[in-house]
Amino acid sequence: MNLKNTLTCFLLSIFSISLSAQESLPAGSIRGIVIDVASGQALSHVTIVIPDSNPVIGTTTDNDGRFRLDNLPVGRYAVHASFIGYEPAILREILVSSVKEVFLEISLKEQVAELGEVVIRPKVNKEEPLNRMATASARMLSVEEASRYAGGFDDPARLVSAFAGVAGSMNSNSIAIRGNSPQSLQWRIEGVEAPNPTHFSDITGVGGGILTALSSQVLGNSDFFTGAFPAEYGNALSGVFDMRLRNGNNQNHEYTAQLGVLGVEFASEGPFKKGGQASYLFNYRYSSMALANDLVPDLVSDAAGMRYQDLSFKINLPTKRAGTFSLWGIGITDHFIQSVPKDTADWRNSVFEGMGDFRQTKMIGGIGHKIFINNDTYLKTSLATSYTQNQTILEQTYTDQSTFRVTDLKGNNTNVIFDTYLNRKFNAKHVNRSGINVTGLFYDADYSANSDINEYPPQPMVNFARNTGYSTLLSAYSQSSIRFGEKVTANAGIHSMYFVLNNKWTIEPRLGIKWQMSSQHAFGMAYGLHSRHENIDYYFVKTPQTGDNLVNKNLYFAKSHHLVLSYDWSISENMHLKIEPYYQYLYDVPVAKDSLLSLINYQNFYLLIPLVNDGKGRNYGVDFTLERYLHNGYYWLLTASLFESLYKGGDGVWRDTRLNRNFLINALGGKEWKLGKHKQNILGVNLRLSFQGGDRYIPIDEIASKTAQSLIYDNSRAYQAQLSPAFISHFTVSYKINKKSLAHEFAIKMVNANGYQEYSGYYYDYKINEPKMYKSAVVIPNIYYRVEF
């Protein structure tokens, strides 16, 4: 079956089911809570209205700040919240279905001026991040966007590649922000730092993976920062992805089941007992690329050998006097086999062909507690742990059918994290948050490999790393948001870190100022000094020349200065423009002495060489975002970035970084149609087009390579070579049938629909006795049926 026939069958099934669907009048509900954004306290008697509803649909919050709107026809809504003494807010793009209740947490900001002094335009939820102490380079990411946007693929990591300043990849969901390495990004889950929560993380390069392990069924709205982030965030150079898990429905049980070409998924949520406040939520997923490859041969390329599973859950336990407790966790198992083609004519090498076996297990979980000390103060504490186990085996099969193992890499990492902070609202003008963090870092590595895989027969593998290590990272911060009237807000703070292993410490000031010039125009400036420690195993590297001496033990934190200017123009209620020029200066970056190697460009998940803190980097450019929110059934988003990304290695030479694409352009949009006699069904079509600078790489010295009959790189031209600009397309088509107490959805989602081939490296082709560039195109399709009940 080819792709054209698959699409035809899919569309025919949609319309046949639509015609046979029973006529009904399904309706849904919106409920939620309204809180003071600074203190976190619930607000009673807040007016909640659906704008432009006729007759007016609305209510007020009860004494606990809660509200409920029932019997809403299926479709998109905006929700307006207003309260005397507070700035009004409006939440847009709220999708109401016939089965799942929508729960909203609406945050209102107390006014500084006396009533009647100024007129405040309602703040749109998409204009500001959840963390209001962020001044610039921050965006709230809704889980509904991750599901709706083409190219998002229900993966927040792939979704953010549509945002200004972010470069994505087809073979990986790595996040490269403004030319920085993907490993410079910090992932956070439920308020604590976490290892990359993606399947096959680091297999395609450190900092990336294939698809997220967090399903859209469990994700809540989250924040994504691309520079000069608030003082509570440390140990990151490029950005922070602060993800949250939502609470399960504590009033009704809800279930979701999905079957598709990538596998199966099941989710459940509900109260532990009727009338109680406690709830549970979990999601399980099993996936295999094999079915997609069988359906459309060669479509997913090398990814056909991938199998993965994940389980996510969250339990929310409110109490009357002891605060709210939560228990959450994520479990991941991955297995990837790259098999040897049976026909030697398909081998890339006339002498041998490689086989790879990659296994990964990852567990992340924790306990959280939040308690209000008084009406203006709360304490939030987390105790979490993470465990990652990797094993990579590479074998080579020769034409005589002999097989030799040439690489066997095993590694375990465990982190134990204690995090707590105190949030206090002193008054409408001043709120402070101060906290501490203690992280225990453990690792165990056993690396063996052959020194020359081109030799036949290969020499026995040599163990070049077998050791364990442990250390502790301590950090503390304090940050305040101070408002000078309704127009000017200053966010200032300080973050500090201390690495016990080598007694290195850092103190980092942060400052942001925002001027709301008018109801439609705002200017901002944000500065921050940021730093990051390296992977724990880097500090325990030993070399044959130095014996048991830890050559990298005294590495200092890599650091960077961020400076961002911002301009926001709310063109209308449904359209917004943001422009952000920025400059980033990196220093004390670990590099190899007298070499072009820098961790700015490093891709391998292991490192076995001595480093020094002599590297530098510069990233500067301007980001543009023009967005029309979903209104009257359609939306669009245009982003563009022009930038330069340079680095200086251990040889003192300034070069382009590996990720210096120079420009990024994204255009995405979508349209929804309400179908059926009662307009209860929704057909959605979404498209994304990306045009970006090509991959940079180190070219081959062809003459030297042919002489040596192996790969010899021309380091004198490192990263000067660049492929042609890349054009990439993604699309999503979905059809949802809403019935009473039951909803069906059929969808097809395609990543890299035009099959763009990315640079994957060089190999030496012994058939023609010359080096060749290897490019691969991973096209990820998902055709699925989902039922909600």
Side-chain angles (χ1 to χ4, degrees), residues 81 85 101 107 228 299 310 313 338 355 428-429 433 462 482 654 679 702 715 722 786-787:
E101 291 183 331
S107 301
L299 185 64
D310 57 65
F313 71 90
Q338 187 174 17
M355 185 280 291
K429 296 182 178 181
R433 178 175 295 179
V462 176
I482 303 173
W654 282 94
K679 306 299 183 183
E702 294 196 10
N715 290 332
Q722 186 176 17
R786 177 186 295 166
V787 59

Side-chain angles (χ1 to χ4, degrees), residues 356-600:
D357 190 329
F358 176 86
R359 299 173 187 267
Q360 184 176 81
T361 300
K362 190 175 294 187
M363 292 177 283
I364 312 166
I367 300 172
H369 178 241
K370 180 178 179 180
I371 186 170
F372 283 92
I373 298 173
N374 56 44
N375 289 337
D376 297 316
T377 308
Y378 67 85
L379 179 71
K380 189 171 184 179
T381 304
S382 297
L383 179 63
T385 186
S386 65
Y387 171 77
T388 302
Q389 180 185 69
N390 294 311
Q391 181 173 16
T392 299
I393 295 174
L394 299 178
E395 293 182 346
Q396 291 185 166
T397 297
Y398 293 81
T399 51
D400 61 3
Q401 298 306 307
S402 60
T403 299
F404 296 88
R405 182 167 296 185
V406 294
T407 301
D408 190 347
L409 309 176
K410 302 173 184 176
N412 302 325
N413 288 82
T414 302
N415 293 348
V416 180
I417 306 159
F418 172 79
D419 184 276
T420 186
Y421 68 82
L422 184 73
N423 190 97
R424 176 169 174 77
K425 177 184 178 182
F426 291 95
N427 50 51
K429 296 182 178 181
H430 182 203
V431 60
N432 176 270
R433 178 175 295 179
S434 300
I436 60 172
N437 180 283
V438 180
T439 302
L441 306 163
F442 304 81
Y443 98 101
D444 182 0
D446 186 357
Y447 298 153
S448 297
N450 179 273
S451 58
D452 186 0
I453 63 173
N454 292 315
E455 186 178 16
Y456 178 76
Q459 295 296 318
M461 291 189 301
V462 176
N463 185 275
F464 53 86
R466 180 182 288 129
N467 46 39
T468 61
Y470 162 78
S471 190
T472 305
L473 180 70
L474 308 175
S475 62
Y477 66 89
S478 182
Q479 61 186 20
S480 286
S481 181
I482 303 173
R483 302 169 65 191
F484 302 93
E486 297 292 352
K487 293 189 175 183
V488 179
T489 301
N491 298 309
I494 191 165
H495 188 101
S496 64
M497 291 196 297
Y498 174 70
F499 194 32
V500 174
L501 178 68
N502 54 20
N503 296 319
K504 303 296 185 182
W505 56 274
T506 177
I507 296 178
E508 308 162 5
R510 314 284 174 86
L511 176 66
I513 299 175
K514 184 175 182 179
W515 174 36
Q516 190 71 47
M517 186 181 71
S518 68
S519 62
Q520 291 182 289
H521 301 275
F523 294 88
M525 182 280 294
Y527 162 79
L529 174 61
H530 305 277
S531 62
R532 179 184 182 272
H533 77 79
E534 304 308 326
N535 295 344
I536 183 65
D537 55 300
Y538 291 8
Y539 295 92
F540 290 88
V541 168
K542 301 175 184 179
T543 65
Q545 295 77 19
T546 58
D548 290 334
N549 182 40
L550 303 181
V551 295
N552 292 331
K553 178 180 178 180
N554 291 314
L555 281 178
Y556 196 41
F557 296 98
K559 293 187 174 183
S560 74
H561 293 284
H562 285 241
L563 179 63
V564 182
L565 304 178
S566 68
Y567 167 65
D568 287 84
W569 178 17
S570 297
I571 302 172
S572 68
E573 289 186 352
N574 302 303
M575 191 176 298
H576 186 80
L577 171 69
K578 178 185 284 287
I579 302 174
E580 288 194 334
Y582 65 88
Y583 179 82
Q584 181 188 13
Y585 175 70
L586 299 99
Y587 62 101
D588 288 340
V589 177
V591 296
K593 192 173 180 61
D594 300 322
S595 166
L596 62 84
L597 187 146
S598 168
L599 291 193
I600 288 176

Side-chain angles (χ1 to χ4, degrees), residues 156-209:
R158 290 186 179 272
L159 169 62
V160 298
S161 65
F163 296 166
V166 183
S169 169
M170 297 305 98
N171 298 338
S172 166
N173 67 352
S174 60
I175 301 173
I177 300 173
R178 294 170 174 172
N180 284 278
S181 166
Q183 67 175 322
S184 296
L185 172 79
Q186 181 186 110
W187 295 85
R188 292 170 69 91
I189 302 175
E190 289 293 286
V192 296
E193 184 175 358
N196 186 348
T198 61
H199 289 286
F200 305 99
S201 60
D202 300 337
I203 188 175
T204 58
V206 66

Side-chain angles (χ1 to χ4, degrees), residues 637-682:
L637 171 67
L638 303 175
T639 66
S641 300
L642 304 174
F643 66 99
E644 191 75 12
S645 179
L646 307 171
Y647 86 100
K648 185 171 76 171
D651 57 3
V653 178
W654 282 94
R655 299 180 175 88
D656 292 293
T657 65
R658 179 175 63 88
L659 294 166
N660 185 19
R661 295 182 179 272
N662 297 123
F663 70 91
L664 305 166
I665 301 173
N666 288 283
L668 63 88
K671 172 67 177 174
E672 291 182 347
W673 292 270
K674 298 177 71 174
L675 305 177
K677 183 176 181 180
H678 302 290
K679 306 299 183 183
Q680 75 275 21
N681 304 326
I682 299 176

Side-chain angles (χ1 to χ4, degrees), residues 68-83:
R68 185 178 187 96
L69 300 171
D70 289 318
N71 299 317
L72 298 175
V74 170
R76 296 275 180 180
Y77 291 89
V79 177
H80 184 280
S82 60
F83 187 50

Side-chain angles (χ1 to χ4, degrees), residues 717-735:
R717 297 189 293 140
Y719 305 117
Q720 293 179 16
Q722 186 176 17
L723 297 181
S724 300
F727 174 76
I728 306 167
S729 61
H730 320 275
F731 71 84
T732 297
V733 179
S734 64
Y735 186 67

